Amino acid sequence: MKNAKRWLAALALTLPFTASASEWELDIEAATPADVAVYTRYVEGQQMKEFMGVTTINASMAVVLAVISDPDNNPNWVYSNKLAKVIKDSEGNPFYYIQIVGVWPTSDRDVVLDVSPRQDPVSKTIYLESVSIDGIYPEQEDYVRMPSVESSYELRPMSPDHTQVTFTGHGDPGGSIPKWLANLYVTNIPEVSLTNLHEQVKRDKYRSATWDSIDNAFFDLSDFEKPYKKRTAPTEPAAMTVKPTVQKSTQLAPEKPAISAHEVIEPIAETPEAVTQ
């Protein structure tokens, strides 16, 4: 049953943002901003629920980006992720290849993702949006290629050392996956992944990351504006020349600068339908 839970990490790579989706329902309430709040909703024409997880990480945006930008480390925190690596097409364009552990007796899943980054010019929020793409990487033996996957990471700077992370996803796993099984652990995906992310940012490998030290295959951070720039010390005013007839200087003082989560309780499932792939 652990494999059943882990496979649903495939949902962590998903999300068709459609107007036909229903309203978000709160499934897991966050007692503090550092906890993970989880929402789900149904999307018309899709058997899997769309999920959204929200939490505030005690780390700068650069540190959070450093973790997300390291595909080799994905299996250590992204729920059910078996393998993540960067591949390139014939023109050298980068893509993500992801493998997901399948639910017994189904096969493992895989998918190729095209990643598109963007930044809001006002809030400095960074969006990392992914969508599945065909024809980039050959289908692999013993893996079912997921036909439709979309996901999004939203990184919103709350302060120089705090980043709000919103993780959304939805997709079609392909094969013959019963609806009850597809939605059985949907809330675990954002909850476990974001809980793990809180721990990953504490690692020595990432916690000293800076805006200029991040190596990401899909974008150059020099194209984005830093959310919080270092303040420049005020310039000392030029010396004043005081005439002999003046008894008091009018010089003003310069202003001061402004100061694992993979173990979860398994819900009781309905009687399984026949699973063939």
Side-chain angles (χ1 to χ4, degrees), residues 12 14 28 30 39 67 73 77 80 88 100 136 145 168 174 185 189 193 209 213-214 240 262-263 266:
T14 59
I28 300 176
Y39 304 81
V67 177
N73 189 49
W77 69 277
S80 166
K88 295 185 178 181
I100 307 297
I136 301 298
R145 182 61 52 87
T168 51
Y185 304 103
I189 302 157
S193 297
S213 68
I214 298 173
M240 295 184 63
H262 290 270
E263 294 297 330
E266 300 175 357

Side-chain angles (χ1 to χ4, degrees):
M1 188 60 73
K2 284 185 180 180
N3 282 345
K5 295 182 295 182
R6 292 179 61 194
W7 169 83
L8 284 163
L11 291 178
L13 306 170
T14 59
L15 178 61
F17 303 95
T18 61
S20 57
S22 60
E23 294 295 324
W24 288 109
E25 293 184 3
L26 177 64
D27 290 89
I28 300 176
E29 186 174 0
T32 70
D35 294 328
V36 181
V38 178
Y39 304 81
T40 59
R41 65 181 178 181
Y42 286 100
V43 178
E44 184 178 349
Q46 301 287 334
Q47 71 170 9
M48 284 187 177
K49 286 183 179 180
E50 178 182 354
F51 70 78
M52 176 173 65
V54 184
T55 191
T56 298
I57 305 290
N58 185 20
S60 67
M61 182 184 288
V63 172
V64 177
L65 274 172
V67 177
I68 295 176
S69 299
D70 186 2
D72 293 339
N73 189 49
N74 273 23
N76 292 325
W77 69 277
V78 178
Y79 190 57
S80 166
N81 186 281
K82 180 180 180 181
L83 171 73
K85 66 178 182 179
V86 176
I87 59 175
K88 295 185 178 181
D89 63 10
S90 58
E91 297 180 356
N93 299 309
F95 300 89
Y96 257 140
Y97 173 68
I98 308 291
Q99 289 181 350
I100 307 297
V101 177
V103 179
W104 186 89
T106 67
S107 300
D108 291 351
R109 262 60 184 169
D110 69 354
V111 65
V112 177
L113 298 174
D114 187 8
V115 181
S116 299
R118 62 185 177 88
Q119 184 182 40
D120 183 277
V122 177
S123 68
K124 311 308 177 191
T125 299
I126 288 180
Y127 302 86
L128 303 177
E129 298 168 338
S130 302
V131 60
S132 56
I133 186 170
D134 295 326
I136 301 298
Y137 197 67
E139 295 188 10
Q140 304 295 296
E141 185 177 359
D142 298 327
Y143 286 86
V144 173
R145 182 61 52 87
M146 297 178 68
S148 174
V149 173
E150 294 183 32
S151 71
S152 174
Y153 287 107
E154 176 188 310
L155 310 182
R156 181 180 298 275
M158 307 302 289
S159 76
D161 298 314
H162 291 84
T163 305
Q164 185 185 77
V165 180
T166 301
F167 182 23
T168 51
H170 197 286
D172 181 357
S176 302
I177 304 295
K179 184 175 182 179
W180 67 266
L181 181 57
N183 290 307
L184 191 57
Y185 304 103
V186 65
T187 59
N188 293 347
I189 302 157
E191 181 187 23
V192 173
S193 297
L194 293 179
T195 298
N196 287 341
L197 183 58
H198 276 277
E199 297 304 314
Q200 289 296 314
V201 298
K202 300 176 184 178
R203 295 177 59 186
D204 292 340
K205 181 179 181 180
Y206 304 116
R207 64 182 182 181
S208 60
T210 63
W211 200 258
D212 299 323
S213 68
I214 298 173
D215 182 15
N216 189 293
F218 300 95
F219 58 88
D220 186 345
L221 275 178
S222 63
D223 296 333
F224 293 159
E225 186 174 348
K226 296 180 182 180
Y228 290 94
K229 299 179 180 179
K230 291 183 178 180
R231 295 184 182 275
T232 303
T235 303
E236 291 294 334
M240 295 184 63
T241 301
V242 182
K243 297 180 180 181
T245 54
V246 178
Q247 298 180 354
K248 185 187 299 185
S249 172
T250 58
Q251 179 176 350
L252 298 178
E255 294 183 359
K256 295 181 180 181
I259 308 291
S260 147
H262 290 270
E263 294 297 330
V264 294
I265 299 176
E266 300 175 357
I268 299 176
E270 302 173 12
T271 303
E273 303 169 16
V275 181
T276 59
Q277 188 178 33

